[in-house]
Amino acid sequence: MPIALVDCNNFYVSCERMFNPKLEGKPVVVLSNNDGCAVARSNEVKSLGIKMGEPWFKMEKLAKQHGIIAYSSNYALYGDLSARVMSVLSTFSPRQEIYSIDECFLDLDGFEPQKLMAYGQTIRQAVKRNVGINYSPARIVKRSQYLRLSGLQIRPG
């Protein structure tokens, strides 16, 4: 049984960029409550060597040098956009397992193997069109890999 693992790109940063398109291509970091540590990093920030969980005070000098834009986390916004993404994804499979705020598994049993990549592109386009969020190309895994990755069971959506 093929299962798609869908994982949104730099989710919190993607949410911030959705509401401020001028952030596209710029180094952006989202900080934890009280602006303590990096909880999301754009690819531009990752390329500067800033690690997940790195405290703001350790990156502040680098942030000034490279124009890193820092945002306080907005979990209400991220939760709302996650629900929208998951709602769109649920229309593409009879069974969905939400794994985290920005990841889920879709059961693709019964789909023709040679059409899975095209179906994946259709799903990606729908999420981008309906929500405005990008995600990495879905990884197609076998049931045994899924169980190892998640420790979960798919249940009817």
Side-chain angles (χ1 to χ4, degrees):
M1 158 176 35
I3 296 171
L5 169 57
V6 178
D7 184 1
C8 296
N9 297 336
N10 311 320
F11 186 63
Y12 297 170
V13 171
S14 295
C15 293
E16 298 295 345
R17 285 178 168 169
M18 225 182 92
F19 288 96
N20 187 352
K22 292 178 182 177
L23 296 174
E24 206 58 52
K26 295 189 173 152
V28 179
V29 65
V30 175
L31 303 171
S32 63
N33 294 344
N34 301 318
D35 297 338
C37 302
V39 294
R41 303 155 298 143
S42 66
N43 290 334
E44 297 81 8
V45 168
K46 290 176 185 179
S47 72
L48 295 171
I50 294 175
K51 305 289 184 212
M52 183 66 89
E54 189 163 329
W56 174 249
F57 74 89
K58 285 188 176 181
M59 70 176 100
E60 200 165 5
K61 184 178 177 184
L62 198 59
K64 287 178 184 171
Q65 290 173 342
H66 295 279
I68 295 173
I69 302 162
Y71 277 85
S72 296
S73 50
N74 182 345
Y75 296 113
L77 170 68
Y78 311 146
D80 179 63
L81 289 174
S82 173
R84 293 179 192 193
V85 168
M86 299 308 167
S87 177
V88 171
L89 291 173
S90 73
T91 66
F92 288 93
S93 173
R95 295 190 294 176
Q96 172 190 38
E97 184 67 50
I98 297 172
Y99 187 62
S100 70
I101 195 165
D102 71 334
E103 294 176 293
C104 83
F105 294 93
L106 298 175
D107 180 359
L108 301 179
D109 195 31
F111 290 87
E112 296 179 45
Q114 64 274 20
K115 294 185 179 180
L116 287 176
M117 295 309 288
Y119 193 60
Q121 286 300 325
T122 300
I123 296 169
R124 258 182 114 181
Q125 291 165 358
V127 170
K128 180 66 175 171
R129 181 179 60 252
N130 292 305
V131 184
I133 297 289
N134 283 318
Y135 67 82
S136 302
R139 287 185 13 202
I140 307 297
V141 297
K142 295 178 183 167
R143 184 170 178 75
S144 60
Q145 292 171 306
Y146 160 75
L147 294 173
R148 190 171 64 249
L149 283 169
S150 69
L152 302 171
Q153 294 291 324
I154 288 184
R155 60 180 179 267

